[in-house]
Amino acid sequence: MLDQILDLVKQQGQQIVVQNPEVPDNENNAVMMEAANTITGGFQNMLSGGGLQNIISMFTGGGQGQNNNSLLSNPVVSMMIGHLAGNLVKKMNLNPAVANGIANNIIPGVLNNLVSKTRSNDPADDGFDLNDLIASLTGGNAAQDNRQTNGFDFQGLIGQLGADTNGDGKVDLSDIVNVVTRQAQNQQQGQGQSGGLTDLIKGFFR
C-alpha cells in the first residue's frame, strides 16, 4: 500500500513539482520525497498517537454524510500541509509562497486520490486497501491479527458510511484503537533504528 501512496505522490508531483519553473530540476525528487515522508509520517503519527478513528473518519467521510471535500478542511490534512511547506523552505530554501503552493496542492491531491481509490469498486484500484495501509504502518500486524482486533475489517467500514464506529457492544473499537496505537509506536521505534519508511521512500524516488 505504501508503494501506491508513493506512486500517487509521483503522479501529482509531475505537474505540481516537476513542471514547476520555481522548483530547480535537481530538487524535484527531494521535494516529492518530502511530500511522501509528510503523508506517510503523518498517518503513522496519527496511529501512534491514538488517532485511528481520525484515519477511519477520513476514509469513510466521517460516517455522517460528509463527502471527500471535507478532507480539505480536515485539521490533520492542514497539519501535513503546514509541515511540508515549512520543510520545503527550511531544507530546500524554496520561496515560502512557492512552498505553500506546492504543499496546498500536492497533499490534498494525493489524499483525495488515495481516499477515492480506496473507496472505489473498480478492479483497477484493488491495490488500495485500508487494511493494508494500517498494516503497513503498524508492522503488518494490527489490521490483520484476528485475535487482537476481533477480525475487524477497516476496509469494510468504507461501504458502511452510516455505521456506528464508537463501540456499541458489537465492536469494541477502543480495544482496537489501543492495539493499533501500540503496534504503530513499536513500528516507529523500529524504524528509528533501521531507516524503515525513509529508506523505502528514498529508493522509490531514485
Side-chain angles (χ1 to χ4, degrees), residues 21-203:
E22 300 292 339
V23 180
D25 288 344
N26 63 329
E27 295 284 14
N28 286 339
N29 280 349
V31 170
M32 289 190 287
M33 280 174 51
E34 198 62 44
N37 268 317
T38 297
I39 292 169
T40 56
F43 277 136
Q44 195 166 64
N45 286 336
M46 287 168 66
L47 289 176
S48 65
L52 171 63
Q53 287 161 293
N54 292 331
I55 290 181
I56 291 174
S57 178
M58 182 182 295
F59 280 85
T60 61
Q64 301 297 328
Q66 300 178 36
N67 54 42
N68 281 347
N69 291 330
S70 65
L71 188 67
L72 299 176
S73 60
N74 188 303
V76 175
V77 178
S78 298
M79 287 176 62
M80 288 184 186
I81 291 171
H83 178 81
L84 176 59
N87 279 348
L88 294 181
V89 172
K90 182 170 65 174
K91 295 182 178 181
M92 285 146 229
N93 295 314
L94 292 186
N95 179 286
V98 173
N100 281 321
I102 292 171
N104 274 287
N105 280 282
I106 199 166
I107 296 292
V110 170
L111 293 178
N112 267 315
N113 268 286
L114 179 62
V115 169
S116 176
K117 288 179 177 295
T118 303
R119 295 177 63 163
S120 170
N121 292 321
D122 189 333
D125 296 324
D126 280 351
F128 293 84
D129 184 278
L130 188 54
N131 291 328
D132 289 346
L133 173 63
I134 294 173
S136 65
L137 296 170
T138 56
N141 297 316
Q144 298 173 342
D145 192 329
N146 289 341
R147 294 169 301 167
Q148 292 182 315
T149 63
N150 299 321
F152 196 79
D153 179 14
F154 299 104
Q155 180 70 17
L157 279 179
I158 293 173
Q160 303 172 32
L161 300 186
D164 176 12
T165 59
N166 295 324
D168 60 356
K170 296 179 181 178
V171 176
D172 192 346
L173 190 59
S174 64
D175 286 343
I176 296 169
V177 170
N178 289 337
V179 170
V180 173
T181 300
R182 186 172 62 252
Q183 293 281 359
Q185 290 170 347
N186 291 340
Q187 179 75 349
Q188 279 188 319
Q189 291 172 1
Q191 285 169 190
Q193 299 169 357
S194 66
L197 281 175
T198 301
D199 288 343
L200 172 66
I201 292 168
K202 284 181 180 176

Side-chain angles (χ1 to χ4, degrees), residues 1-9 11 110 114 126-128 204:
M1 183 64 172
L2 291 180
D3 283 347
Q4 280 86 350
I5 294 177
L6 300 182
D7 193 50
L8 287 178
V9 172
Q11 291 174 27
V110 170
L114 179 62
D126 280 351
F128 293 84
F204 192 87

